Amino acid sequence: MTADEETEGTDEAREESAGERRERWFAAWSAARLRLADAPASGTLAGRLARLLEEGAEVHDLDVRPDLYGDGIVAELEERTADLLGTEAAAFFPTGTMAQQVALRCWADRTGSTTVALHPLSHPERHERHALTQLTGLRPVHPTTEPRMPSAEEVWTLPEPFGALLLELPLRDAGFVLPTWDELVETVGAAREREAVVHLDGARLWECTPHFGRTLPEIVGLADSVYVSYYKSLGGLSGAALAGSSSLMEEARAWRHRYGGQVFQQWPAALSALVGLERELPRLPEYVAHAKVVAAALRRGLADAGVPWFRIHPEEPHTHQFQVWLPYDPEELTEAAVRQAEEDGTVLFRVWEAQGPPGLAVTEVTVAAPGLLWSPEDVHEALSAFLARLPRG
């Protein structure tokens, strides 16, 4: 056997081990009785289909024919989304990545500028393999590198022209953080003074209304276009929408086709999105309020346990999601979380990652319908059981 063959075999074994570990995680989370939110891919195919059939029948006539290339139920979902956001039209996309690529490409054509101002922690910069530059030839510039949305002054004083400003609400990788309403208005105003358009990365926009104290149409009305996700907070199978003026959506649909997004049938994703809009959207303010309760209980519990260093960020969550930072190895933390799910049937935390300074790990906490049943005492008890599974330093 050659050295290359030996290396290839080792890599395959490592990948198989990682795959088995991931399956173990999902099995533990799915079987757990107590959780703050459902796992992203919990249950079985049969169970998910049965649930979609039951819940879908409550929001749409299932005796009509399936959609073909975006008509039928997909078109109805687009209309419903535009109504909720207060825009003239909306266009369904198979992914949010595609939706935003199309939006920014359209704005580049319209403004004559290929420069996009956005945060370096925003989704197009962190999670899309440089698609902005590789696919659309756009050039990103950063008004700030601070872990927050850029201020009006930073947008106004950016030392080069730009055609579009992208604002991610909330900024997920900074801890699901949001500006105040006045700050948002001022930042948008600064972009307008720079003669730039404003696009909202609203993958999680649905849950921002409690923080801003404004309706979805009021928030969206500040911008020229917005992208929203149907699965990140609404529990849909997949899919996203781009919303804005009717003329922009016409142009976006043409580019959607060119990008390969004109899918033959999308009724499962569209039906699950309608279920999410009907069932989850009205409950998001409850989740946001209870996330503050959970975060406060975690902060008290960590302090009572004498953990040498920790952070709940933001200290009071802006949405129903927030970060927890601990001074442990991320693999040890993840293993403790999985063992707690397997042994106690409780999911408090999921995957931990190494970010920031060495020796620190971070995880994201989401509070949804299952989490509403957790009292502060439940959180404290689950936290104690989790910490007990960590190695003693």
Side-chain angles (χ1 to χ4, degrees), residues 68-109:
L68 293 175
Y69 292 117
D71 68 356
I73 188 173
V74 175
E76 292 179 32
L77 174 62
E78 291 174 337
E79 293 177 9
R80 174 80 185 279
T81 301
D83 288 342
L84 285 168
L85 298 177
T87 60
E88 291 181 356
F92 184 84
F93 279 78
T95 71
T97 296
M98 183 186 294
Q100 296 211 111
Q101 296 301 315
V102 166
L104 295 174
R105 180 165 200 151
C106 289
W107 286 126
D109 289 342

Side-chain angles (χ1 to χ4, degrees), residues 33-38 283 287 290 367-374:
R33 300 180 304 278
L34 297 174
R35 57 176 77 91
L36 290 171
D38 290 328
R283 303 196 70 182
Y287 304 165
H290 202 61
V367 178
L372 297 179
L373 301 176
W374 289 52

